[in-house]
Amino acid sequence: MLIIVQIFLDTYEIFISAALLTLRLTITSLIIGSLIGLVVAFFRISTNKWLNKLAAIYIELIRGTPLIVQIAILYFGIASVVTFSQFWAGALALAIHNGAYIAEIFRGSIQSIDKGQMEAARSLGMTYPLAMRRIILPQAFKFSIPPLGNQFIIGLKDSSLVAYVGMADLWGSGLSEAASNYRQLETYMVVGIYYLALVLLFSYLLRKLERRLDIDSKEIS
């Protein structure tokens, strides 16, 4: 226990900086992934068979291959043609990976809304995009918060894989520190504490958002 405390005190500046990088990487990838997921979700519910098929192939391809392989392909493969920094290679790989799962979350949430609401909006003269933006999406977003929260936490933990393309995120910094102090177990436990703190922070913010949405819905009703 004393060794863990000592490592924590000796490395807190390095690991706090690494935690901020991990947080920035996660937030960036999840924002981009959510945009990708929303577009792919629309493709999945589209009546255009080509868009539907394209989205289905993307989802199956991403969900059927390991994230570390996707990061390696983007960083070592595509980056040989288009230059990406380590941060953006990692962020884009995480975004593309998360986008496949977020797409299914959005698709399920949108399709869970009663079709009668869209028909009623169209009968009032709304266009399909306007009805989707004002009527369907706000409700679908509320329903998607719990599964999105789970995916965001998974995305935070998955971000540790960018260490294998040389990024000094939490896990990457942990590997470097463990190699220099020869205290692998204790160092990895310290890294785990930082990850746990970030997950608890995400969970707290998501619970606050869920409660806020519940309050808003009660006020509206």
Side-chain angles (χ1 to χ4, degrees):
M1 186 64 184
L2 291 176
I3 296 175
I4 294 175
V5 173
Q6 187 60 49
I7 292 174
F8 186 88
L9 293 174
D10 291 342
T11 61
Y12 74 92
E13 291 184 353
I14 294 172
F15 282 142
I16 287 177
S17 176
L20 292 175
L21 176 59
T22 294
L23 195 58
R24 185 161 63 93
L25 177 70
T26 302
I27 292 173
T28 301
S29 65
L30 289 175
I31 289 173
I32 298 173
S34 296
L35 295 175
I36 293 172
L38 186 59
V39 172
V40 175
F42 282 134
F43 285 4
R44 286 287 286 143
I45 63 176
S46 171
T47 55
N48 186 308
K49 66 177 183 179
W50 296 110
L51 292 179
N52 194 297
K53 189 67 174 178
L54 180 64
I57 292 172
Y58 160 71
I59 290 171
E60 292 303 319
L61 182 64
I62 294 300
R63 298 203 302 184
T65 54
L67 174 56
I68 187 63
V69 174
Q70 296 163 18
I71 293 174
I73 289 173
L74 185 63
Y75 186 70
F76 296 107
I78 299 176
S80 64
V81 179
V82 180
T83 302
F84 285 113
S85 66
Q86 290 176 335
F87 177 86
W88 281 107
L92 289 174
L94 290 170
I96 293 169
H97 180 82
N98 287 314
Y101 294 89
I102 293 173
E104 289 296 270
I105 292 172
F106 281 145
R107 180 186 64 81
S109 298
I110 292 171
Q111 291 182 331
S112 70
I113 306 300
D114 187 355
K115 294 181 180 180
Q117 296 196 37
M118 174 60 78
E119 295 171 358
R122 295 301 301 276
S123 68
L124 292 173
M126 289 187 181
T127 61
Y128 181 86
L130 183 62
M132 182 64 71
R133 180 167 61 88
R134 290 189 176 180
I135 306 298
I136 306 300
L137 284 182
Q139 298 178 76
F141 175 74
K142 179 182 174 181
F143 293 148
S144 68
I145 290 296
L148 276 179
N150 291 333
Q151 186 59 41
F152 285 1
I153 291 172
I154 292 170
L156 170 63
K157 292 184 288 186
D158 283 348
S159 70
S160 61
L161 292 176
V162 300
Y164 296 105
V165 295
M167 279 193 67
D169 68 321
L170 265 176
W171 183 238
S173 298
L175 291 174
S176 298
E177 288 298 317
S180 63
N181 64 18
Y182 301 104
R183 292 284 186 177
Q184 282 84 359
L185 175 61
E186 293 85 354
T187 303
Y188 297 155
M189 290 177 70
V190 171
V191 173
I193 291 171
Y194 281 98
Y195 273 112
L196 179 60
L198 291 177
V199 168
L200 291 175
L201 174 62
F202 264 60
S203 300
Y204 170 75
L205 294 175
L206 287 166
R207 284 196 300 270
K208 285 197 69 173
L209 179 59
E210 286 185 45
R211 286 197 296 268
R212 178 63 183 272
L213 289 174
D214 285 342
I215 292 172
D216 288 347
S217 65
K218 289 175 184 176
E219 289 176 352
I220 292 171
S221 60

